[in-house]
Amino acid sequence: MKILRTGAEMSAWSNGRLAAGESIALVPTMGFFHAGHLALMAAAKQRAAQVVVTLFVNPAQFGKNEDLDSYPRNFAGDCQLAVQEGVTVMFAPSPAEMYPPGFQSRVEVTKLSLPLCGADRPGHFAGVTTVVAKLFNIIKPQYAVFGEKDFQQLAIIRQMVKDLNWEIEIIGHPIVREADGLAMSSRNSYLSRADRQTALCLSRSLRLGRQLASRGKETPAEIVTSIKKNISAVASVDYVNIIQADTLADSSEINQESILALAVKVGQTRLIDNCRLLSSLTP
Ligand code: PAF
């Protein structure tokens, strides 16, 4: 596996592979890999001859009081895992490489970035779309794979690709969970033993939501109220919403496109999770 540090090196490599008629699948990450990341790499490998993983803890998507400095990092361990997954290139630029002095552009998907995580984290999604746009331009992939845990990020990136006419197929990969239902996340490493148990309130809430939805008696607002009540007994709710998958607008009725989305603070750690409401009850 090649480790490349500059945009120029990365672009030159991509141009060579594309000139040779090969396809490239991209997996953008912030590192500290877990089985969820490895599943994205495996999905990328199924699509294209070359898999590029980017590892960049992107300062532009962290708010002032967020965890940029403490975000977990393990570059050597990540490289080992990426090699095992058959990744061809790890692109790991520095912040100065991505945002050199004088950098002043921003890519923003205006409407989809406002609700949910966008309301709690102003500017976050503009940071995501700006860095992902740069990665698309540098690497020129035909495919890019993102996890469905960050379903709002995925919807925003799909919109950006459509709006800006990139010929990139965006692939959403289902959430990978621990055996007890907790969605995998690099931020799970912040959880104390007690918080790790408390964090199960997220996947429990998804199960409750699906149970209530399959009964068909409660409105979306009533389901949200029940879930908020359950979570509030053990943790602090940032949001619980039932929304439509494509527009992210609140659902007035439960249908195949309804997603139950949660953001919850467990101790100091903010966790998100989601599911289609009319999907099966596991986990
Ligand atoms: O999902 C993430 O890890 C990040 O938001 C991404 C897409 C790598 C952009 O920094």
Side-chain angles (χ1 to χ4, degrees):
M1 184 179 77
K2 274 184 194 303
I3 297 173
L4 302 179
R5 298 283 187 179
T6 69
E9 287 170 330
M10 184 67 246
S11 281
W13 181 89
S14 284
N15 291 341
R17 296 335 315 146
L18 294 171
E22 291 177 4
S23 53
I24 300 174
L26 167 66
V27 182
T29 81
M30 299 206 300
F32 207 66
F33 296 157
H34 49 66
H37 292 110
L38 306 186
L40 304 184
M41 295 174 207
K45 189 132 188 66
Q46 281 179 357
R47 305 281 166 148
Q50 305 289 347
V51 175
V52 176
V53 170
T54 64
L55 196 167
F56 181 60
V57 182
N58 173 30
Q61 68 188 77
F62 286 79
K64 269 207 180 80
N65 298 317
E66 293 185 356
D67 56 343
L68 173 62
D69 293 336
S70 57
Y71 195 83
R73 292 163 167 88
N74 179 6
F75 186 69
D78 286 348
C79 287
Q80 252 177 19
L81 291 169
V83 167
Q84 283 165 22
E85 288 304 319
V87 169
T88 347
V89 173
M90 173 79 83
F91 178 49
S94 65
E97 174 66 20
M98 291 301 272
Y99 304 114
F103 184 89
Q104 51 187 295
S105 299
R106 188 155 90 149
V107 179
E108 191 165 10
V109 175
T110 51
K111 231 168 134 184
L112 290 180
S113 298
L114 289 177
L116 307 164
C117 289
D120 290 335
R121 304 181 72 189
H124 166 70
F125 286 118
V128 171
T129 40
T130 301
V131 82
V132 171
K134 280 177 69 76
L135 295 174
F136 284 171
N137 284 336
I138 293 168
I139 297 161
K140 304 176 195 76
Q142 286 88 356
Y143 306 93
V145 189
F146 296 85
E148 288 177 352
K149 183 166 74 67
D150 297 293
F151 76 95
Q152 184 175 12
Q153 168 173 284
L154 181 57
I156 288 169
I157 287 167
R158 285 191 200 285
Q159 185 70 44
M160 172 176 79
V161 164
K162 187 172 156 211
D163 289 349
L164 300 184
N165 303 86
W166 271 303
E167 291 182 355
I168 301 173
E169 186 182 332
I170 302 299
I171 297 149
H173 192 281
I175 297 175
V176 178
R177 295 179 182 280
E178 304 284 358
D180 60 8
L182 181 67
M184 291 203 183
S185 163
S186 301
R187 289 191 168 100
N188 291 349
S189 65
Y190 297 149
L191 297 169
S192 67
R193 192 185 275 256
D195 286 348
R196 172 69 183 71
Q197 274 306 109
T198 305
L200 294 178
C201 69
L202 282 95
S203 53
R204 237 184 0 248
S205 299
L206 299 184
R207 257 194 317 273
L208 173 62
R210 284 179 292 198
Q211 262 158 13
L212 296 176
S214 68
R215 226 163 57 169
K217 288 188 183 155
E218 283 87 356
T219 63
E222 287 164 341
I223 296 177
V224 164
T225 303
S226 300
I227 291 173
K228 279 187 175 165
K229 196 170 151 212
N230 267 271
I231 297 177
S232 304
V234 292
S236 147
V237 174
D238 268 6
Y239 65 76
V240 174
N241 285 56
I242 295 178
I243 52 168
Q244 290 302 106
D246 49 351
T247 61
L248 308 184
D250 282 327
S251 297
S252 53
E253 52 156 48
I254 308 287
N255 58 36
Q256 293 297 333
E257 296 304 308
S258 300
I259 290 187
L260 170 59
L262 323 166
V264 174
K265 269 245 182 67
V266 178
Q268 294 305 306
T269 309
R270 186 176 180 279
L271 300 174
I272 57 173
D273 205 344
N274 71 86
C275 69
R276 294 237 167 205
L277 263 182
L278 296 182
S279 60
S280 73
L281 284 173
T282 50

